[in-house]
Amino acid sequence: HQGLVKAVRRHFQGAIWQSCQTHLARNVLDVCPKADQRSLHSRLRLIFEAPDMTMARTVLEETIAAYGTKAAKAMQRLEADFDDAVAVLTLPEPHRERLRTTNGLERLNEEVHRRENAIRIFPNEVSALHLLEALLKEQDETWSTGRRYLTMQADQDLDRGESVPLPERGNAA
């Protein structure tokens, strides 16, 4: 995904890149010795649930100190992907739970795939785009009028003058 990350950073300057915390946790635990997986998983939860970037970095440093020799590959992976995984900490608190993983996107992709399988063959590209447009409009309506996926109140508070610090980037694209 490095090309995608670079393109987003180039064309959407000021946007942050949030990697899925669930996928990072799996990737880290996959290269961790079995005996340490449960305790390391608890540490990862502390990092991801930190109230701010400072606390997340503190827990990261403690985790690297504790597991650096036992699970060196896991710590390398965690350290390399840390900034992107906790970028969500720079967002308003109400948004963090929804945006820390790719669950919303994965669910939307599943729905597109389900509807695509029902149709099977599209007569042309335009008909496929019409289906996608209809699904996205339906999802937007659900998120806007039904049970809200995100509330924009926190964004409105920011517009009134609060500032949100951007994450420090150790590996800028």
Side-chain angles (χ1 to χ4, degrees), residues 51-153:
D52 56 39
M53 193 66 75
T54 304
M55 180 61 79
R57 284 193 191 284
T58 301
V59 177
L60 171 69
E61 290 167 8
E62 293 169 356
T63 303
I64 290 171
Y67 293 90
T69 55
K70 298 189 274 188
K73 277 187 175 180
M75 293 304 98
Q76 288 171 352
R77 184 164 289 170
L78 176 60
E79 195 168 21
D81 295 336
F82 172 80
D83 288 329
D84 290 339
V86 296
V88 74
L89 294 176
T90 63
L91 299 176
E93 179 111 21
H95 295 353
R96 293 178 187 175
E97 188 63 29
R98 294 282 191 179
L99 299 178
R100 66 181 199 80
T101 69
T102 56
N103 287 349
L105 290 173
E106 289 174 4
R107 176 66 188 100
L108 182 60
N109 286 338
E110 286 174 13
E111 186 61 21
V112 168
H113 187 68
R114 186 183 73 78
R115 302 261 183 109
E116 174 191 347
N117 282 343
I119 294 173
R120 290 188 179 179
I121 299 174
F122 292 95
N124 54 41
E125 186 177 335
V126 172
S127 64
L129 290 174
H130 280 287
L131 173 69
L132 184 58
E133 179 184 15
L135 282 170
L136 293 175
K137 283 181 179 180
E138 181 181 304
Q139 192 64 55
D140 177 63
E141 186 175 320
T142 300
W143 286 352
S144 299
T145 60
R147 186 171 155 247
R148 293 185 183 252
Y149 190 76
L150 290 174
T151 174
M152 292 296 116
Q153 184 61 44

Side-chain angles (χ1 to χ4, degrees), residues 8-27:
V8 167
R9 289 196 177 127
R10 180 173 179 205
H11 295 287
F12 297 99
Q13 292 154 10
I16 61 172
W17 183 268
Q18 172 63 40
S19 294
C20 179
Q21 292 178 353
T22 301
H23 290 118
L24 174 59
R26 280 188 209 147
N27 292 341

